Amino acid sequence: MIRILIVMSIIVIATLYMNNMEEKQVLENSSKHPKIDTSNSVSVPEEHQISPGKMPVKGIGSFIGKQSGDLKTAFGEPIRKDPSAYEYEWWVYKDDKHYVQFGVEHNQVVTAYATGKTEVAPFKIGQPANEIFAANVLDTEIVINHKKGNYRFELSEEDFNIRPLVRLGDIYVQLYLDKFTGTLSSVRYLSKETLIKQRPYEMVYRGKLLSAPEPDDLTWKEIEQGSEKQILDITNMIRKRFDLSSLQEEINAAEVAKLHSREMHDKQYFAHESPSKGNLGDRLDSANINYRSAGENIAANYVDAPAAVEGWLNSEGHRETLLGDFTHLGVGVYKKYYTQNFITH
């Protein structure tokens, strides 16, 4: 089962490190989203399912179930293809105003995530949350009957308020709401099989647990590299929403972030303070990175990179860093541990 828990710590350190008589500031935030084991089946009662809305006929949701060739016809070749931990491959399309990732499995589109000005009908990025709740019948329990079993997702109060789940025909849409502005931040469309594999909410089931196989080490490395690019892209799309400058990729800071994500995974801790390398300032100094100010966001066990960024956006301290006055960003991902190191030189 999966239950969301966001743990947030804010440490602002002023006059911490002196380099050429310049003050350095370090801002650190952490967000944990633990997974709870779903290996024990639990009996699911009779179907508790709201009447679905209609399948989308335009926008990214209309491509769920279509062939990859349809994507090429509509959008051309993607700027890159990133593997995922759920068997599908992300096809990434972006420009200054639009950002979308289509998940393609066996030449079929099984999921799509989008933000920016992308068409996500019947919803709209920036749409007021109260309009969404007024126009859609939403519930805290969603039951999916699948050929391999029955699955019931149970949304917590927080889930329901910031990332509700809507059924449209035979597909599902996860709505990421910005609780600080009360508007729609991004949208994720999923086939029922993909939703079950990801298990983004607490879930009980009867029958066979539908799961994606664990990626091998080489595939994980490729997933991590793709996730790092996605986090940088999505962060910059969000910053544009607030008329903020885009962040440039900082390779050296990314290496520091990567090492921290890997160490947290390997040593099974979750904190900004490394037992071997110290805090963010210590780690940046050890890598000979010059900076006037720096910030760090960390997260663990989100289903993927887009989910981690949306989680940061909805937590006050992380949001402050995400939308902060920085110029560069280094992203490091290891398995499902995510680190952002923000830098101003």
Side-chain angles (χ1 to χ4, degrees):
M1 293 187 297
I2 297 176
R3 189 181 297 276
I4 293 181
L5 172 64
I6 296 180
V7 180
M8 189 266 289
S9 63
I10 308 173
I11 307 172
V12 181
I13 307 174
T15 323
L16 250 186
Y17 303 95
M18 303 299 292
N19 182 21
N20 296 326
M21 301 304 291
E22 290 185 345
E23 181 185 79
K24 296 180 180 179
Q25 294 183 327
V26 180
L27 177 65
E28 300 175 336
N29 298 283
S30 56
S31 178
K32 187 124 181 185
H33 179 301
K35 288 193 173 185
I36 301 173
D37 185 19
T38 60
S39 58
N40 295 320
S41 342
V42 179
S43 178
V44 178
E46 291 300 315
E47 183 172 9
H48 177 84
Q49 183 63 278
I50 59 177
S51 299
K54 295 180 179 179
M55 284 277 291
V57 295
K58 62 179 181 178
I60 65 165
S62 66
F63 285 90
I64 304 300
K66 292 186 177 180
Q67 298 299 303
S68 57
D70 296 320
L71 288 182
K72 292 182 180 180
T73 299
F75 298 96
E77 291 290 338
I79 62 166
R80 65 173 188 270
K81 297 179 180 180
D82 301 333
S84 79
Y86 304 99
E87 299 186 281
Y88 54 80
E89 181 180 58
W90 284 121
W91 288 25
V92 180
Y93 296 88
K94 69 170 185 173
D95 58 27
D96 289 341
K97 296 182 179 180
H98 307 87
Y99 183 86
V100 60
Q101 302 177 191
F102 289 101
V104 177
E105 182 179 351
H106 302 308
N107 291 317
Q108 186 178 57
V109 181
V110 297
T111 186
Y113 167 86
T115 189
K117 300 292 185 181
T118 310
E119 173 65 74
V120 296
F123 308 99
K124 184 177 181 180
I125 303 299
Q127 182 179 1
N130 56 5
E131 288 185 6
I132 293 173
F133 281 94
N136 296 273
V137 180
L138 303 176
D139 203 343
T140 57
E141 291 188 2
I142 303 290
V143 174
I144 300 176
N145 291 319
H146 186 62
K147 58 185 178 182
K148 296 183 181 295
N150 298 325
Y151 309 83
R152 187 180 76 226
F153 290 101
E154 300 177 350
L155 280 65
S156 67
E157 181 179 356
E158 182 179 32
D159 293 335
F160 186 75
N161 287 325
I162 66 173
R163 53 188 197 118
L165 188 66
V166 181
R167 181 183 172 191
L168 298 179
D170 291 330
I171 66 175
Y172 294 83
V173 55
Q174 192 175 28
L175 303 171
Y176 291 100
L177 302 172
D178 183 338
K179 70 179 184 181
F180 292 93
T181 63
T183 59
L184 183 61
S185 175
S186 65
V187 169
R188 185 193 299 258
Y189 283 92
L190 310 100
S191 68
K192 64 171 64 175
E193 293 85 358
T194 303
L195 177 61
I196 294 167
K197 288 179 184 178
Q198 286 192 1
R199 302 196 290 276
Y201 309 97
E202 182 177 347
M203 186 186 79
V204 293
Y205 70 98
R206 180 175 60 209
K208 183 178 180 180
L209 180 61
L210 185 62
S211 299
E214 177 69 15
D216 59 29
D217 290 343
L218 178 59
T219 303
W220 264 123
K221 184 176 180 179
E222 294 173 343
I223 292 169
E224 292 157 8
Q225 292 171 345
S227 296
E228 289 162 358
K229 293 182 177 70
Q230 292 163 26
I231 288 174
L232 178 62
D233 288 341
I234 297 169
T235 296
N236 278 330
M237 290 303 298
I238 291 173
R239 288 176 64 88
K240 287 180 182 179
R241 184 187 308 164
F242 294 95
D243 297 321
L244 299 172
S245 60
S246 294
L247 302 173
Q248 298 180 44
E249 184 177 14
E250 171 60 77
I251 300 300
N252 294 329
E255 292 177 358
V256 172
K258 179 80 167 188
L259 289 172
H260 191 60
S261 290
R262 177 159 191 163
E263 186 181 74
M264 287 193 293
H265 172 274
D266 291 348
K267 296 187 176 181
Q268 286 300 287
Y269 74 91
F270 183 71
H272 297 282
E273 184 85 19
S274 162
S276 62
K277 298 179 177 62
N279 60 30
L280 174 60
D282 296 329
R283 288 181 270 122
L284 294 176
D285 289 344
S286 295
N288 297 315
I289 297 175
N290 294 319
Y291 65 96
R292 288 187 293 110
S293 61
E296 180 171 82
N297 284 338
I298 62 175
N301 294 329
Y302 283 84
V303 296
D304 58 13
V309 178
E310 293 295 340
W312 284 325
L313 185 66
N314 261 330
S315 180
E316 186 174 2
H318 308 89
R319 183 189 187 90
E320 180 182 348
T321 305
L322 194 77
L323 304 179
D325 186 19
F326 297 106
T327 58
H328 293 74
L329 175 60
V331 181
V333 176
Y334 187 77
K335 300 291 179 71
K336 291 187 178 180
Y337 283 75
Y338 309 88
T339 301
Q340 288 182 306
N341 282 345
F342 297 82
I343 299 291
T344 297
H345 290 296

